[in-house]
Amino acid sequence: MKSRTLHAALFGARASVACKTGGGASAGKTGVAIDPAAKMAEVDGQPITYGDLQNDKEIGPKVRQAEVKALTDLYEQRRSLLDELISRRLLEQEAKSKGKTLEQWFQSDYVNTVPDLTEDEAKAFYEQNKSQMPQGQTFEQLEPRIKQFGKQQKLREGMSKMLEGLKQKHHVAVALEPPELPRIEVEAKGPTRGPANAPVTVVEFSDFQCPFCGREFPVIERLMKEYDGKVKLVFRHFPLDFHPFAEKAAEAAACAADQGKFWELHNKMFENQQKLAVDDLKGYAKSVGVDAQKFDKCLDSGEKKALVEADQKAGTEAGVNGTPAFFVNGIFINGAQPYEQFKQTVDRELKKKG
């Protein structure tokens, strides 16, 4: 029987892809598509068509969000299960080449080669996450659990790298296409990278303390590098209330934007997500070259709180209920998704633009 450890190492990384606020919306075309002329109801002999639903000022956005969620959820489930099957077959093939079963190979050739957390690594983890540790428990009391967690994390990270290598070695090509999605109108308002007339605009709603946003940071950097001149990126704030440092981090980014240093501070904060207290933010801002006195005054006054709240309101109206959330020419991509999904979506949009 397949061990829980093996299954967790292989597939645990895809179990969750976003910081969530609760039930809400997510993105396509397939079984939920309905002819706009189709009659949905009748009032006093007057028909209400699906087009009436779609075009209603208040109801229309909710309909599109529901379609987006249904199609995205279905696609993500199919993609996740496809990835699971691909990964299992690749690893079974790897194990077979060593004359072993998958379970035997996993224990002898993989688990035993991944080092345990050292005491120094465990202490560093404890210090970085002290605010989230159970109150009243010392490092010595938590050390076994920290080391167990660290080992599992190393197993998942190592497996992810191994699978990427195996996919390249065996020329894995995924033909499953993302669905055609309803487009949601989101104002491209905020700090921007890329040409103003780029054929593809990506609006990102993000939270500087969200670990999934941090995971997606290099994915978006790669996208901007590989599609240089073809993609415009617009950043909008969506700090979640259960991330205690996210609100001030968003305000700090907005203060830095006033001095033309948004992206520099943006990068710095994503590279240091475990340290986002106000004093840390002021230190990062100073290190990227802002006028410290102006920045500190801006941050301490809370003058950017309204700007952050306006971004949150726009995100909520567009159906965002967690981070990260992206709109690629209005097409919703929910959560920390692999680079390939962004590439497919951008390529399709570029092809439509000719």
Side-chain angles (χ1 to χ4, degrees), residues 226-238:
E226 296 192 5
Y227 287 89
D228 185 31
K230 298 177 181 178
V231 172
K232 177 175 71 175
L233 174 65
V234 180
F235 187 96
R236 302 199 69 172
H237 302 285
F238 204 86

Side-chain angles (χ1 to χ4, degrees), residues 61-103:
K62 296 177 183 179
V63 171
R64 289 190 291 275
Q65 289 165 17
E67 291 177 342
V68 160
K69 178 171 175 53
L71 290 162
T72 296
D73 287 350
L74 178 60
Y75 172 75
E76 288 179 357
Q77 285 292 322
R78 286 172 170 169
R79 180 60 196 263
S80 179
L81 294 170
L82 176 61
D83 284 348
E84 183 173 337
L85 179 60
I86 291 170
S87 298
R88 179 160 53 90
R89 289 193 177 180
L90 288 172
L91 293 174
E92 285 174 345
Q93 195 169 336
E94 187 73 5
K96 186 176 181 181
S97 70
K98 305 287 178 61
K100 300 177 181 180
T101 65
L102 180 54
E103 274 285 345

Side-chain angles (χ1 to χ4, degrees), residues 262-279:
F262 172 85
W263 295 106
E264 289 84 352
L265 187 57
H266 163 282
N267 295 354
K268 200 78 173 177
M269 289 192 292
F270 272 132
E271 290 163 359
N272 296 276
Q273 284 191 297
Q274 303 301 326
K275 294 184 178 181
L276 294 176
V278 168
D279 286 345

Side-chain angles (χ1 to χ4, degrees), residues 149-204:
F149 174 81
K151 176 78 169 186
Q152 292 298 323
Q153 192 171 41
K154 284 187 175 183
L155 286 170
R156 286 192 295 270
E157 290 172 353
M159 182 59 67
S160 179
K161 290 178 182 177
M162 177 179 288
L163 286 168
E164 284 303 312
L166 289 173
K167 287 175 182 178
Q168 292 181 15
K169 177 182 176 182
H170 295 283
H171 308 292
V172 172
V174 174
L176 179 64
E177 290 278 351
E180 280 288 342
L181 307 177
R183 295 178 192 270
I184 298 173
E185 290 186 19
V186 181
E187 188 178 4
K189 177 183 180 181
T192 302
R193 289 171 59 186
N197 62 347
V200 176
T201 296
V202 178
V203 179
E204 173 183 3

Side-chain angles (χ1 to χ4, degrees), residues 38-319:
K39 187 167 76 171
M40 300 285 100
E42 194 174 276
V43 177
D44 290 333
Q46 296 298 313
I48 296 177
T49 67
Y50 193 65
D52 293 330
L53 275 178
Q54 290 177 311
N55 296 324
D56 186 86
K57 185 178 180 180
E58 293 183 10
I59 301 296
K62 296 177 183 179
V63 171
R64 289 190 291 275
Q65 289 165 17
E67 291 177 342
V68 160
K69 178 171 175 53
L71 290 162
T72 296
D73 287 350
L74 178 60
Y75 172 75
E76 288 179 357
Q77 285 292 322
R78 286 172 170 169
R79 180 60 196 263
S80 179
L81 294 170
L82 176 61
D83 284 348
E84 183 173 337
L85 179 60
I86 291 170
S87 298
R88 179 160 53 90
R89 289 193 177 180
L90 288 172
L91 293 174
E92 285 174 345
Q93 195 169 336
E94 187 73 5
K96 186 176 181 181
S97 70
K98 305 287 178 61
K100 300 177 181 180
T101 65
L102 180 54
E103 274 285 345
Q104 291 169 339
W105 170 87
F106 180 73
Q107 292 297 331
S108 62
D109 292 39
Y110 183 65
V111 174
N112 293 340
T113 65
V114 176
D116 293 329
L117 238 63
T118 65
E119 186 171 351
D120 286 344
E121 288 175 325
K123 283 182 178 177
F125 180 88
Y126 176 80
E127 291 299 327
Q128 290 174 357
N129 298 276
K130 188 177 286 187
S131 63
Q132 301 176 46
M133 295 293 174
Q135 290 186 354
Q137 294 198 37
T138 65
F139 167 73
E140 288 70 24
Q141 292 172 311
L142 293 169
E143 184 177 5
R145 288 161 61 186
I146 291 173
K147 286 188 172 180
Q148 182 182 26
F149 174 81
K151 176 78 169 186
Q152 292 298 323
Q153 192 171 41
K154 284 187 175 183
L155 286 170
R156 286 192 295 270
E157 290 172 353
M159 182 59 67
S160 179
K161 290 178 182 177
M162 177 179 288
L163 286 168
E164 284 303 312
L166 289 173
K167 287 175 182 178
Q168 292 181 15
K169 177 182 176 182
H170 295 283
H171 308 292
V172 172
V174 174
L176 179 64
E177 290 278 351
E180 280 288 342
L181 307 177
R183 295 178 192 270
I184 298 173
E185 290 186 19
V186 181
E187 188 178 4
K189 177 183 180 181
T192 302
R193 289 171 59 186
N197 62 347
V200 176
T201 296
V202 178
V203 179
E204 173 183 3
F205 286 88
S206 194
D207 171 323
F208 288 108
Q209 197 180 350
C210 168
F212 299 101
C213 300
R215 181 193 299 176
E216 204 70 355
F217 171 51
V219 172
I220 299 304
E221 289 300 302
R222 179 182 174 187
L223 185 76
M224 296 304 293
K225 182 178 179 181
E226 296 192 5
Y227 287 89
D228 185 31
K230 298 177 181 178
V231 172
K232 177 175 71 175
L233 174 65
V234 180
F235 187 96
R236 302 199 69 172
H237 302 285
F238 204 86
L240 303 172
D241 55 12
F242 56 86
H243 289 153
F245 303 115
E247 169 71 30
K248 271 299 179 185
E251 291 179 30
C255 289
D258 284 350
Q259 299 189 41
K261 294 289 184 180
F262 172 85
W263 295 106
E264 289 84 352
L265 187 57
H266 163 282
N267 295 354
K268 200 78 173 177
M269 289 192 292
F270 272 132
E271 290 163 359
N272 296 276
Q273 284 191 297
Q274 303 301 326
K275 294 184 178 181
L276 294 176
V278 168
D279 286 345
D280 296 318
L281 301 176
K282 291 179 178 179
Y284 301 148
K286 189 174 181 180
S287 73
V288 301
V290 303
D291 181 313
Q293 186 175 359
K294 289 181 180 178
F295 177 86
D296 292 357
K297 181 181 178 182
C298 175
L299 186 60
D300 292 339
S301 71
E303 67 180 74
K304 297 300 182 183
K305 185 176 178 63
L307 181 152
V308 173
E309 289 176 346
D311 276 1
Q312 288 177 300
K313 183 175 184 290
T316 300
E317 290 174 350

Side-chain angles (χ1 to χ4, degrees), residues 1-14:
M1 189 171 79
K2 186 172 292 185
S3 73
R4 292 173 65 184
T5 304
L6 171 57
H7 192 271
L10 295 185
F11 315 117
R14 288 192 61 84

